[in-house]
Amino acid sequence: MTTVRSLAIVALVVTAASLAGCGMLGGGGGGGDGGDSEAQGNVDAPREVAEPMDPSATEVFDRVTEIMGVEAEAPGVRVTNLPTSRNVSSPFVTAMVGLPDDPQRLTNPINATYDPEENSVLFNDEAVFDLNGSQIEYQLAYNIALGLHYQNDWIDDEDSQSAVLRGTLNAVMREYTDEHMDTNYVDAYDSAEAAFESTTAYEWATYEALNYYGAEYVASQTDSASDIQSIYEGGVPETTEQLLHDTDEGATDLSVTTNVSNWWIDERMPRLEATLGELGTRAVLRSQLSASEATAAADGWGNDTGMAFTSARNESAGAVWVHSWDSASEADEFANATEAYAEARADGTYAVNVTRPAEDTTVVVAHRGTFMQNAEITYAGGTVEVVVGGGSS
């Protein structure tokens, strides 16, 4: 997992150091006489590393476990060949929100990651020698904290991008930087509006809203990072509706099927399992509406499914977003707001249509080129069927 912008360090003042010291950490709790000597051995690096890291990898591990109040097996730390960046774009968000003005916003650097299968923090062999000691320490602490989440069975790969996880990692790293690093923490926003204004609508819809509201939820449930285990052990919110409203209300039934021809590519949104939730609905609408309008329109969310399709022949593309709502009046409010959103979103690249196949169901389609001529969306027996390109038969 890459450290996202809202978890970046904005002031780096610790003396720079090479990555020596990121060999294997000591086992068990990270302590013991042999721990530091192992941690300060040379790493598997593409060139010689001579200086030890200060603080040592073992010391970073000890600090993180103390902050989180847990015991765990110390991870290995090594340099290896990783991709240099991760593309965070998705066809769905592109269609619904529009690309940011700066294409660089669509990529996040990968300086380090955690591998749960081998319990190791992996540093990028192309980027690590450009990082100073403060940056290395931060990356190491962040990924150790992530590893402790895996080791305590708080998360798995299916929810590794959840708002709650982002919030608990935020809590750990806020305490770590406050206690051990001479830095300023970048995501100390006074409000959701301030957080939104600090980024782009695309990033807000993709992950920054998850960062902000995840951190807000964790802060409301805990006094310190040592309390976060109570969140996971007590049961995390299953939907962002539960996270936003502190409710146990579950998602409503929603049935959506697809049938796509070989001439169209069925794109599935990465990491979100095709469901944006109330928070994602709010975040997408915020790209064109005010915060209050987006919040009111998303309230009453019952369930949703989003999907995107691109043509294998030309530049045609489309995204289909189906919602079920708690009531007909909630669906009315969303449909009315989405009409305004659709008018604002129609920028000459994508047009947006909003339909109401049932009193508690809405369908939003953002499209360009010949997508609408090739798409058939029907509703029968409580199921929305999306057929693109005549289907596969």
Side-chain angles (χ1 to χ4, degrees), residues 357 376-380 383-387:
E376 181 180 5
I377 303 173
T378 59
Y379 180 88
T383 296
V384 175
E385 183 179 25
V386 180
V387 179

Side-chain angles (χ1 to χ4, degrees), residues 206-240:
T206 305
Y207 56 82
E208 291 287 15
L210 293 172
N211 290 336
Y212 177 82
Y213 286 101
E216 186 178 66
Y217 172 79
V218 171
S220 73
Q221 300 293 313
T222 62
D223 294 324
S224 72
S226 63
D227 297 329
I228 63 177
Q229 57 185 315
S230 64
I231 293 179
Y232 292 101
E233 293 171 358
V236 300
E238 295 180 357
T239 67
T240 54

